[in-house]
């Protein structure tokens, strides 16, 4: 994130491959820019000269979570997913496709229930108009927050279903399981002595 200008917040991950990104402060679909994050390295990233990630004389901040490579097929849910998970750190990146606009379950690879999940529709249908949905275990049942908005928590019964040790549920709502759309999810589980949500 550019700390000296009002550029977008760029999120990139190895599951969707370098140069592909989504914007956490907007509803835009996934985009590609060869000058964003170009390569994921052992201890950082290689970046190009895209304004949102690299501009002369401007300062940036970068947050990184190590998952487990480019991901593997996860068939634990009713909809297959590609999952890159680090169970020691309690973090996973989950890419999943069309849920048909119905309640489904998605494998997350953490081995324990996530405490927080952020989901964005990345392509297809009306993905470009979908807000980020955030599940948090301390929110009231059937409530979400919208990462790209300044709104308070909101009642939305059709976003997330049951959150379990191997899968998380999506309830057929447009933000997490609309027909014909693909999604990216970032999941965090609490690890005693390491993280708390």
């Amino acid at each position: 994130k550019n700390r000296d200008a009002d550029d977008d917040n760029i999120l990139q991950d190895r599951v969707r491959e370098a140069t592909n990104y989504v914007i956490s402060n907007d509803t835009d679909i996934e985009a590609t820019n060869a000058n964003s994050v170009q390569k994921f390295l052992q201890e950082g990233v290689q970046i190009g000269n895209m304004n949102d990630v690299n501009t002369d004389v401007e300062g940036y901040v970068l947050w990184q979570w190590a998952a487990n490579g480019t991901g593997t097929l996860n068939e634990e849910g009713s909809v297959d997913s590609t999952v890159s998970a680090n169970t020691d750190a309690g973090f996973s990146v989950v890419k999943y496709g069309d849920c048909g606009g119905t309640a489904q379950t998605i494998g997350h690879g953490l081995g324990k229930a996530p405490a927080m999940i952020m989901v964005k529709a990345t392509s297809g249908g009306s993905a470009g108009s979908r807000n980020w949905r955030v599940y948090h275990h301390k929110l009231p049942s059937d409530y979400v927050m919208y990462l790209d908005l300044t709104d308070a928590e909101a009642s939305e019964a059709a976003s997330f279903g049951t959150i379990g040790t191997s899968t998380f549920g999506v309830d057929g709502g447009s933000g997490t399981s609309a027909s014909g759309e693909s999604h990216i999810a970032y999941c965090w589980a609490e690890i005693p002595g390491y993280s708390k949500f």
Side-chain angles (χ1 to χ4, degrees), residues 6-129:
D6 61 358
D7 294 334
D8 289 320
N9 300 289
I10 302 299
L11 300 182
Q12 296 184 250
D13 58 76
R14 291 187 67 193
V15 172
R16 292 178 301 116
E17 302 178 0
T19 74
N20 295 324
Y21 65 91
V22 286
I23 299 170
S24 64
N25 58 285
D26 205 333
T27 62
D28 290 355
I29 61 172
E30 178 179 280
T32 301
N33 188 319
N35 285 309
S36 59
V37 171
Q38 299 172 320
K39 188 184 296 184
F40 294 96
L41 306 171
Q42 184 67 26
E43 296 184 4
V45 294
Q46 174 182 305
I47 56 174
N49 62 0
M50 178 182 169
N51 284 344
D52 297 312
V53 299
N54 184 14
T55 305
D56 191 31
V57 305
E58 293 181 355
Y60 292 80
V61 63
L62 170 68
W63 295 276
Q64 297 182 88
W65 285 268
N68 189 22
T70 58
T72 57
L73 176 65
N74 183 304
E75 299 176 299
E76 293 187 38
S78 57
V79 171
D80 290 349
S81 56
T82 300
V83 176
S84 179
N86 180 337
T87 56
D88 290 337
F91 173 69
S92 68
V93 179
V94 179
K95 182 172 75 172
Y96 65 97
D98 189 352
C99 292
T102 60
Q104 303 287 347
T105 56
I106 314 296
H108 56 67
L110 292 175
K112 62 189 307 186
M116 188 171 102
I117 304 170
M118 302 186 321
V119 174
K120 175 67 177 92
T122 56
S123 65
S126 298
S129 66

Side-chain angles (χ1 to χ4, degrees), residues 119-191:
V119 174
K120 175 67 177 92
T122 56
S123 65
S126 298
S129 66
R130 308 282 186 222
N131 296 105
W132 284 81
R133 281 357 188 244
V134 179
Y135 160 84
H136 194 283
H137 72 125
K138 294 294 186 180
L139 287 174
S141 179
D142 292 334
Y143 270 66
V144 298
M145 295 190 78
Y146 304 106
L147 186 64
D148 55 302
L149 300 175
T150 60
D151 297 19
E153 63 191 44
S155 176
E156 188 176 285
S159 280
F160 293 98
T162 301
I163 309 298
T165 58
S166 60
T167 65
F168 65 89
V170 292
D171 271 352
S174 61
T176 58
S177 54
S179 183
E181 296 180 3
S182 295
H183 305 80
I184 192 71
Y186 300 105
C187 307
W188 287 267
E190 292 185 338
I191 304 296

